[in-house]
Amino acid sequence: MAYTKGRDSLGPAMARGGKRRRVVHVFTEGKVTEPEYIGIIKDKDRATYADPSMTVEIRIANSTAPGSQRKPIKLVEAAVRLMRDETREAKKSGLGKKFWPQVWCLFDRDEHELIETAMKQAREGGVRVAFSHPCFEVWRLLHYKPVTSTFGGACDQTTARLPFAKSAANIKSVLPAQIEPGSFTEAKKRALKMNAAHGDHVSMLHRDPYTDVFTFVEEGLGIASY
């Protein structure tokens, strides 16, 4: 799987070696953690892909964006613009829909404003969202153990429960140890059970804890397990 930063031309639907190719543009709220996580799980020696004949090229679309442009509403606004451009180019190039680029946003509930607006704009603009409450660290924690209690919207409480939490400042060295090989299937099972504990009448925006990052892994990156 290719992994690049920024945005290049759409390019052909075929990668080197004759494999089919699809581009996935990703806007992340975090500047380090989420891109590092993606880099870990997409490794060809670790990941099992649902369609081995398809090469998924990942592009971190906002790799150089400042903090002021990393709020959910800002991510979605930029993602919708990119999706519009990419869809137009895909149609012009005559690509089959299976090869059309995807645009994803990864962000948290945290204490952000305009979350509902961001979600609505994403849906209307064809942008996919992987959402966590209170933060992405819930998904990381599920690789290690089940989560059965609320965090009261405080991400610090989530981070404190992670293994090697005292070394969390050095995320690049800690994250690989927290995302152990073979841990995806169990993490997804725990996430589904955790999410369901709230009941269908509770919106995901109000479920604490909640995460659906596994949908990004499966439907965005095309990874069946890692």
Side-chain angles (χ1 to χ4, degrees):
M1 174 185 287
Y3 179 60
T4 60
K5 293 183 177 182
R7 178 172 182 263
D8 302 317
S9 61
L10 182 66
M14 299 298 290
R16 291 181 180 179
K19 284 190 174 185
R20 296 173 295 168
R21 172 177 173 267
R22 176 166 54 80
V23 177
V24 178
H25 302 275
V26 187
F27 289 80
T28 65
E29 180 181 341
K31 194 170 186 177
V32 178
T33 304
E34 289 92 328
E36 285 293 319
Y37 165 75
I38 294 170
I40 291 168
I41 67 169
K42 60 87 182 176
D43 186 87
K44 62 182 178 62
D45 295 325
R46 176 169 182 157
T48 299
Y49 294 95
D51 182 358
S53 68
M54 175 78 78
T55 293
V56 179
E57 181 177 332
I58 308 164
R59 300 180 182 174
I60 304 300
N62 66 329
S63 60
T64 60
S68 61
Q69 297 301 308
R70 290 180 177 272
K71 304 299 183 182
I73 190 65
K74 293 294 185 181
L75 295 182
V76 169
E77 288 172 349
V80 168
R81 289 193 296 270
L82 178 57
M83 187 67 192
R84 188 184 305 121
D85 292 344
E86 291 295 305
T87 299
R88 182 171 57 248
E89 288 299 316
K91 289 179 178 178
K92 187 184 299 184
S93 300
L95 287 178
K97 266 201 168 183
K98 185 174 182 179
F99 305 108
W100 283 17
Q102 292 184 9
V103 180
W104 284 77
C105 290
L106 274 62
F107 59 76
D108 309 332
R109 178 62 188 92
D110 216 339
E111 296 181 359
H112 295 303
E113 299 178 348
L114 302 177
I115 286 286
E116 292 186 1
T117 301
M119 289 291 194
K120 182 175 183 291
Q121 289 184 7
R123 286 193 303 272
E124 293 174 349
V127 170
R128 299 291 303 274
V129 174
F131 176 74
S132 299
H133 191 333
C135 57
F136 182 78
E137 281 62 36
V138 171
W139 175 239
R140 291 164 58 192
L141 184 59
L142 289 165
H143 287 71
Y144 179 63
K145 59 185 178 181
V147 175
T148 58
S149 59
T150 181
F151 295 104
C155 190
D156 288 349
Q157 291 186 30
T158 315
T159 304
R161 292 175 59 182
L162 286 164
F164 318 110
K166 292 182 179 179
S167 304
N170 190 0
I171 191 66
K172 291 187 177 182
S173 64
V174 171
L175 195 54
Q178 292 175 340
I179 309 297
E180 295 183 353
S183 58
F184 173 75
T185 300
E186 194 62 34
K188 179 185 174 181
K189 287 181 181 178
R190 291 167 178 164
L192 289 170
K193 184 176 181 179
M194 178 188 75
N195 295 346
H198 298 278
D200 293 339
H201 64 288
V202 181
S203 163
M204 71 177 188
L205 298 181
H206 302 291
R207 298 185 185 191
D208 177 5
Y210 177 91
T211 186
D212 56 19
V213 174
F214 55 87
T215 62
F216 166 69
V217 175
E218 294 177 325
E219 300 172 23
L221 305 185
I223 295 175
S225 63
Y226 59 73

